[in-house]
Structure formats: C-alpha cells, structure tokens
Amino acid sequence: MHSTSGIIMARDLVAAEILFLDEILAKGITVLDGKSVRVIGRLTSHNAHSCEATLSDPKGKETVYIDTTLLEPFEGVHVGGLYQVIGEIRTHSSVPGMILQARVVVCVDGIDVAMYHHAVGIQRKYFEQRGSELNINAGTVYSPD
C-alpha cells in the first residue's frame, strides 16, 4: 500500500471483508495484518484523548481494540451502542495482538444481529458458488456458432 505518513490513500483501499469478531481473533494477526475488514459489535469503551476504543461481539465473548485516530473527534458515540466498523487490521505496540484502525464507523442500533449473521452466511455461500462457477468457466473458450 502506498501511504503518506502512515495515512492510507484512497486509491489503495480495497473492499472490506465482512468478518465476525470471533473470526478476526481466530484468524489472527499473521493472516489479517493490513487487510481491510468490516465488523459489527457493541462499543464497550471509548477514549477520545487516546483515540482508543473497544468493540465486543453482541454476546460479549470476544473483544477487539479499535484505533479511532482517523475519526476523532468522534461525536455522537455512545458506549453500549451497536456499531459497524470498517478499517484495517494492524499491530500496535501498546496493545498485544492486533488493533483495528477504523476509517468508517456507523451506528447500527436496532439491527437484528441473528438475521445479519444469517444474511452474511447466505452471501458467503453465494460468492463461494459463484467463485467456483467462474473458475470452471474461466477454462472454457467462447466460440459463437
């Protein structure tokens, strides 16, 4: 990625992969370092002065640290709210493991989390089927009759 002073340039951004917090933690930093991800979770803490926040899965089992440097002042945020965060996974000296450097945060209070999980599962299945179809069709040559 091309960047200036650690800031990600718009031309370098790729579509963020939809992941759940437990998947982020299971895959780990070695797989996800530098990858763009999109995740939803409950905001469990936010400190505007240190540009840090934590996001937990709605069940409260998994937590990921969020770097909000690119978003501060992050007005209207409320701890306990449900948020969708888009950003890049990074390592950070102050946090063991990984941190999500947020570039977009959207409040999604009221979303049906179970339905969201179900919809993501359907989308993944569709893309998996479509990908295998594209791989099969990539080997065929079109010839008009």
Side-chain angles (χ1 to χ4, degrees):
M1 279 192 196
H2 304 285
S3 64
T4 304
S5 303
I7 298 173
I8 299 164
M9 304 301 287
R11 69 178 176 271
D12 298 323
L13 295 177
V14 297
E17 179 181 1
I18 299 172
L19 292 174
F20 302 114
L21 286 174
D22 59 337
E23 293 172 326
I24 289 173
L25 297 173
K27 288 186 178 194
I29 191 66
T30 55
V31 174
L32 294 175
D33 191 23
K35 302 262 176 150
S36 292
V37 299
R38 179 170 32 162
V39 64
I40 64 166
R42 196 152 308 280
L43 188 68
T44 51
S45 70
H46 175 241
N47 184 329
H49 297 292
S50 63
C51 299
E52 295 174 348
T54 54
L55 195 70
S56 298
D57 74 349
K59 298 172 192 164
K61 294 180 181 178
E62 310 290 346
T63 299
V64 71
Y65 293 97
I66 309 291
D67 177 352
T68 59
T69 304
L70 300 175
L71 305 172
E72 298 297 349
F74 186 32
E75 298 175 15
V77 63
H78 60 281
V79 173
L82 200 59
Y83 287 87
Q84 181 177 68
V85 179
I86 301 172
E88 285 65 44
I89 299 290
R90 305 268 187 242
T91 56
H92 197 278
S93 59
S94 68
V95 177
M98 66 184 102
I99 192 163
L100 175 56
Q101 183 169 7
R103 57 184 155 96
V104 177
V105 175
V106 177
C107 181
V108 292
D109 278 340
I111 192 172
D112 183 334
V113 176
M115 187 61 71
Y116 175 78
H117 279 256
H118 182 70
V120 169
I122 291 171
Q123 182 186 47
R124 287 177 176 176
K125 185 176 178 181
Y126 168 76
F127 283 136
E128 185 178 299
Q129 290 173 344
R130 182 175 169 213
S132 60
E133 288 173 8
L134 291 175
N135 289 338
I136 291 169
N137 292 336
T140 62
V141 177
Y142 174 74
S143 61
D145 291 333

